[in-house]
Amino acid sequence: MLEVKELSVEIAGVQVLRELGFSLRAGVCTVLIGRNGAGKTTTLRAIMGLLLRQKGSIYLDGKPVHDLPSHARAELGIGYSPEDRRLIGEFSIEDNILLPALALNMSAGERKRRLEEVYELLPELRKLRQRPGGGVSGGQGKMVALGRALMVADKVLFLDEPFQGLAPALALEYARTLSKLREHRPDIALLVTESSPKLLDEIADETLQIERGVLTAA
Ligand SMILES: Nc1ncnc2c1ncn2[C@@H]1O[C@H](COP(=O)(O)OP(=O)(O)OP(=O)(O)O)[C@@H](O)[C@H]1O
Ligand SMILES: [Mg+2]
């Protein structure tokens, strides 16, 4: 599904990722574990095309995507829920969820179908849909970011530290939502980052470990 080969990234003269290589498969939940500053977010941003890579290649279903602009990678079905959520405070929750679909010029029918699917998976978002983006809690914001990523994640879904800062009850709910998602969309390839392996024990099919920009055996 998604294959990353020898991916290297340098930021401000510092080598942040060194020749990462891994692949994500349909229906498999891969967990990327690493401490603060290890390179988890950089890995996701580089695959999304939000950061320039120094070297390396990225293939989606065998086709190179590493030279495509970020929106084109999203259009091919890679959804990304960033760790800092990035909701637009003045937009409603529903508009925040719809944003990537609008940016990609998705047809109105398709947009409606996907939004309905998001609301089915995350019913609490339906209740919040008219609230402004700035008017939800941190935990609720994580759910919104998940919904927004799901609008485009046809094939691959990246979740950057989804459990960070969630109270235990919300973390449990989030984990349940992920299980539901996997039942509902069994062929999605999932990559979830976390700093502690324990949180994701139950949902991980495969584990990767990153240390100072290098993948090490988990
Ligand atoms: N814009 C930037 N300028 C300089 N250095 C950066 C920048 N972004 C990231 N880095 C450095 O790259 C390294 C990897 O950062 P990254 O954000 O990928 O780590 P992370 O594993 O996501 O950490 P965390 O668990 O804290 O989110 C860190 O050493 C960080 O300081
Ligand atoms: Mg990070």
Side-chain angles (χ1 to χ4, degrees):
M1 175 81 82
L2 186 90
E3 206 173 342
V4 175
K5 289 183 183 167
E6 298 181 346
L7 179 66
S8 295
V9 171
E10 208 184 89
I11 301 176
V14 178
Q15 185 88 47
V16 177
L17 299 182
R18 280 169 219 266
E19 307 204 337
L20 294 202
F22 62 89
S23 47
L24 304 179
R25 285 177 289 126
V28 172
C29 175
T30 305
V31 170
L32 178 64
I33 305 286
R35 290 174 204 201
N36 296 132
K40 305 179 295 295
T41 301
T42 306
T43 303
L44 301 186
R45 288 177 56 81
I47 299 173
M48 285 313 296
L50 297 165
L51 275 176
L52 224 54
R53 79 194 192 289
Q54 198 184 0
K55 176 171 157 314
S57 36
I58 303 159
Y59 300 88
L60 184 65
D61 292 333
K63 295 190 189 85
V65 298
H66 44 258
D67 288 326
L68 298 179
S70 179
H71 65 85
R73 302 187 200 189
E75 204 165 4
L76 289 171
I78 311 180
Y80 170 43
S81 173
E83 64 186 324
D84 56 2
R85 301 187 288 279
R86 294 179 192 251
L87 301 186
I88 299 182
E90 307 83 65
F91 283 21
S92 69
I93 292 300
E94 182 157 295
D95 286 343
N96 270 283
I97 297 170
L98 284 171
L99 209 58
L102 291 168
L104 297 178
N105 273 324
M106 204 179 272
S107 75
E110 184 63 15
R111 234 166 34 219
K112 203 166 162 224
R113 190 189 68 72
R114 292 196 189 200
L115 183 65
E116 201 41 50
E117 193 181 27
V118 167
Y119 283 151
E120 242 170 72
L121 274 167
L122 298 154
E124 54 278 41
L125 292 188
R126 200 193 292 273
K127 291 182 217 143
L128 295 172
R129 69 186 198 276
Q130 285 170 340
R131 283 248 199 116
V136 296
S137 75
Q140 290 167 331
K142 292 246 180 201
M143 297 291 182
V144 179
L146 173 60
R148 185 184 50 192
L150 279 173
M151 286 298 290
V152 299
D154 250 354
K155 296 186 173 167
V156 183
L157 176 62
F158 293 157
L159 304 175
D160 198 2
E161 301 206 40
F163 294 98
Q164 203 192 28
L166 289 190
L170 253 185
L172 199 66
E173 192 186 323
Y174 197 102
R176 275 201 208 109
T177 305
L178 285 187
S179 313
K180 209 159 96 184
L181 165 70
R182 297 188 66 196
E183 268 168 42
H184 201 79
R185 304 268 292 272
D187 44 1
I188 221 164
L190 203 57
L191 180 62
V192 188
T193 74
E194 209 45 75
S195 48
S196 152
K198 285 197 193 113
L199 282 169
L200 293 169
D201 252 7
E202 280 178 27
I203 61 162
D205 299 315
E206 285 179 11
T207 305
L208 303 169
Q209 193 149 348
I210 186 165
E211 251 174 63
R212 291 196 211 114
V214 179
L215 279 188
T216 56

